Amino acid sequence: MAEAASVAAECLAGCRARGARSVLGQVVLPGEELLLPEQEDAEGPGGAGERPLSLNAGARSRVRVICGPGLRRCGDRLLVTKCGRLRHKEPGGGGGGVYWVDSQQKRYVPVKGDHVIGIVTAKSGDIFKVDVGGSEPASLSYLSFEGATKRNRPNVQVGDLIYGQFVVANKDMEPEMVCIDSCGRANGMGVIGQDGLLFKVTLGLIRKLLAPDCEIIQEVGKLYPLEIVFGMNGRIWVKAKTIQQTLILANILEACEHMTSDQRKQIFSRLAES
Amino acid sequence: MEEEMHTDAKIRAETGAGSSPRGPGCSLRHFACEQNLLSRPDGSASFLQGVAEKSRERLIRNTCEAVVLGTLHPRTSITVVLQVVSDAGSLLACCLNAACMALVDAGVPMRALFCGVTCALDSDGTLVLDPTSKQEKEARAVLTFAVDNVERKLLMSSTKGLFSDAELQQCLAATQAASQHVFRFYRESLQRRYSKS
């Protein structure tokens, strides 16, 4: 029994909370607790290290840290709730920055401010019901289009593709989306045109493609002239001159997830030749 | 601790479902089936075979409910579908591990990971972890536990057979030690998955 007890103690010791800074970029698992930076300094190795003297003892300056997706506050620590890589973004102004977990997921959960591609499934009175891939269809009012008035209704049919953003998206209410920004301009949102192909990819790939310095999009643009719309709900709409080109582009984007950059460059160069 | 009624549930899990002849000498228990009970998916069915399967479903469901943060997804149902490909013993533990990995893969927010470990006690009192079907059949008692990875706390226990209090504690301690290996395997396989991107 003594052996079992010591083994159990080892297990518990191994689960001690780690500092968030030390785990940046590594894979974290649900159930781990992370210490925020200023706590780490105070609870240093055995507390025997040097500590700077503060004039008002007892009052620690709390840095405001924003808890992003995959993390939850648990007392004064962060509890990891999703599996993925831990990331941190330095703050622009004051504050402690944002921590979040970069996870790979297929299922979308509506978030306020996200731009998504939806499919109109129903038209009931003044509201369109739009399927965005979440657990509930989002509602879209006919007045939320640029230049729409009660007399001048937008031309939206069931089955149309809509590119819009969420204004209300939380777990307690039905999500609501609009196709205008806060100034009343469309800014690229609205009904997506005829033809083209809509397909689904994982959410991680969309974020990768939308990153500011993504080579994939630049290379794809050099191949064929195309129109492309990315929805944060994992949907991509592509349109090129011919159907064959559209299908090639769709296959490349779907395969991008599993290819290394060398394989991708090979495929692009082969396509550029033909 | 009383002995549970012996059932032939294991055998049923291995062979595919089929129609049952209800003639004399047939040892199959009653089973019932309901089809097309969900409107969203293209097809759905519910199959009820005796009490053992139901209790196994209930055990897995209770473990998942204890760990999944359901408050973040109100009015939503999370369905876990487990398909037995082959049964070589420790079926419940394997189902628990599969359910945990599936929930992680789907990105469902959880407060901890969990794993299942099975112990078998044979007639001499020796403890065998992760027994095969043969060892389970010959064992005096079979105990399955689910533990979480935060503090190795016990989430679920399912026991069958005769055992003493001291033996229970011994099995629990062995389970907690063994769960370390399972969690290390989870971590390695998840790291491998994220290293590809």
Side-chain angles (χ1 to χ4, degrees):
Chain A
M1 275 315 198
E3 287 173 353
S6 66
V7 166
E10 255 174 40
C11 301
L12 288 179
C15 310
R16 191 190 51 218
R18 300 187 276 176
R21 284 263 168 79
S22 62
V23 197
L24 277 183
Q26 292 178 30
V27 173
V28 289
L29 298 178
E32 291 185 9
E33 287 193 345
L34 301 172
L35 295 169
L36 292 171
E38 90 270 335
Q39 282 174 306
E40 208 182 280
D41 296 333
E43 292 179 31
E50 290 175 5
R51 241 175 283 175
L53 280 177
S54 58
L55 289 177
N56 47 348
R60 267 196 311 210
S61 57
R62 294 218 154 255
V63 186
R64 271 191 75 140
V65 161
I66 301 179
C67 207
L71 295 171
R72 271 176 83 78
R73 284 199 184 275
C74 166
D76 49 1
R77 298 175 175 188
L78 295 177
L79 173 71
V80 179
T81 57
K82 287 196 191 172
C83 173
R85 288 195 187 274
L86 186 68
R87 305 274 188 218
H88 174 61
K89 182 172 152 192
E90 291 299 328
V98 193
Y99 284 97
W100 76 93
V101 176
D102 223 350
S103 64
Q104 290 172 357
Q105 215 180 303
K106 281 195 237 171
R107 179 89 191 189
Y108 177 67
V109 174
V111 169
K112 182 174 165 177
D114 263 2
H115 291 258
V116 294
I117 299 180
I119 305 174
V120 179
T121 51
K123 207 158 126 172
S124 63
D126 297 336
I127 310 255
F128 301 112
K129 287 285 181 227
V130 180
D131 162 42
V132 290
S135 56
E136 276 180 298
S139 72
L140 169 65
S141 162
Y142 77 97
L143 289 171
S144 319
F145 289 85
E146 183 172 12
T149 60
K150 292 211 174 129
R151 300 273 178 88
N152 180 19
R153 288 170 177 251
N155 182 17
V156 176
Q157 307 304 324
V158 171
D160 278 353
L161 292 177
I162 301 270
Y163 182 64
Q165 65 176 342
F166 285 116
V167 288
V168 170
N170 53 46
K171 60 184 170 77
D172 302 309
M173 296 165 59
E174 180 194 45
E176 291 174 26
M177 59 188 285
V178 293
C179 292
I180 47 174
D181 61 8
S182 45
C183 304
R185 287 187 299 239
N187 212 9
M189 296 189 274
V191 180
I192 296 179
Q194 294 292 312
D195 306 329
L197 177 67
L198 177 77
F199 57 97
K200 208 163 171 334
V201 294
T202 58
L203 306 186
L205 179 63
I206 295 275
R207 290 196 298 260
K208 193 163 86 168
L209 292 170
L210 284 174
D213 48 353
C214 179
E215 321 166 315
I216 306 178
I217 296 304
Q218 292 163 8
E219 290 170 16
V220 164
K222 284 186 217 147
L223 259 187
Y224 309 120
L226 78 160
E227 286 178 56
I228 193 164
V229 179
F230 294 106
M232 295 295 291
N233 52 346
R235 295 179 180 171
I236 303 181
W237 178 85
V238 174
K239 181 175 165 183
K241 282 221 187 91
T242 66
I243 296 182
Q244 196 188 26
Q245 288 179 359
T246 309
L247 287 172
I248 293 175
L249 289 167
N251 286 334
I252 293 177
L253 288 170
E254 275 173 338
C256 264
E257 186 149 23
H258 308 291
M259 285 198 289
T260 61
S261 52
D262 295 326
Q263 289 168 325
R264 214 177 46 230
K265 288 194 173 66
Q266 269 179 10
I267 296 196
F268 278 123
S269 53
R270 217 181 320 147
L271 280 172
E273 285 163 24
S274 61
Chain B
M1 315 275 174
E2 294 166 356
E3 272 189 344
E4 197 191 3
M5 274 197 333
H6 176 68
T7 60
D8 45 4
K10 263 309 146 45
I11 305 168
R12 200 76 37 63
E14 282 165 353
T15 61
S19 55
S20 77
R22 295 292 191 102
C26 171
S27 64
L28 295 175
R29 293 165 300 147
H30 166 79
F31 45 86
C33 173
E34 203 184 315
Q35 285 172 349
N36 204 21
L37 31 87
L38 300 173
S39 55
R40 279 280 180 90
D42 295 340
S44 54
S46 145
F47 212 91
L48 173 60
Q49 269 178 267
V51 179
E53 261 78 7
K54 258 254 153 130
S55 75
R56 199 183 293 149
E57 283 173 21
R58 185 178 44 84
L59 291 170
I60 299 174
R61 191 181 70 209
N62 289 350
T63 315
C64 292
E65 278 177 7
V67 152
V68 164
L69 288 169
T71 52
L72 292 178
H73 294 286
R75 305 180 309 283
T76 308
S77 88
I78 299 176
T79 309
V80 179
V81 177
L82 292 162
Q83 173 78 39
V84 178
V85 174
S86 66
D87 183 8
S90 308
L91 181 63
L92 182 55
C94 189
C95 290
L96 285 166
N97 296 339
C100 181
M101 283 277 97
L103 288 168
V104 166
D105 186 48
V108 174
M110 304 206 282
R111 63 170 62 90
L113 295 178
F114 60 91
C115 80
V117 179
T118 311
C119 312
L121 286 167
D122 68 4
S123 36
D124 320 331
T126 26
L127 179 77
V128 177
L129 277 179
D130 197 23
T132 60
S133 311
K134 188 162 166 296
Q135 284 168 332
E136 271 183 10
K137 239 181 284 200
E138 294 165 1
R140 157 166 61 93
V142 178
L143 303 91
T144 304
F145 299 108
V147 287
D148 75 357
N149 72 338
V150 180
E151 285 170 20
R152 308 281 185 274
K153 272 201 288 218
L154 188 65
L155 291 173
M156 184 277 298
S157 81
S158 158
T159 63
K160 186 173 89 163
L162 291 163
F163 51 90
S164 70
D165 214 3
E167 283 171 341
L168 173 66
Q169 296 300 324
Q170 194 189 8
C171 288
L172 264 176
T175 300
Q176 283 173 332
S179 65
Q180 216 178 8
H181 296 282
V182 185
F183 289 131
R184 200 181 321 137
F185 173 71
Y186 282 2
R187 180 179 284 277
E188 281 168 5
S189 74
L190 287 167
Q191 273 173 344
R192 215 177 315 139
R193 184 181 172 209
Y194 280 92
S195 70
K196 278 193 204 148
S197 61

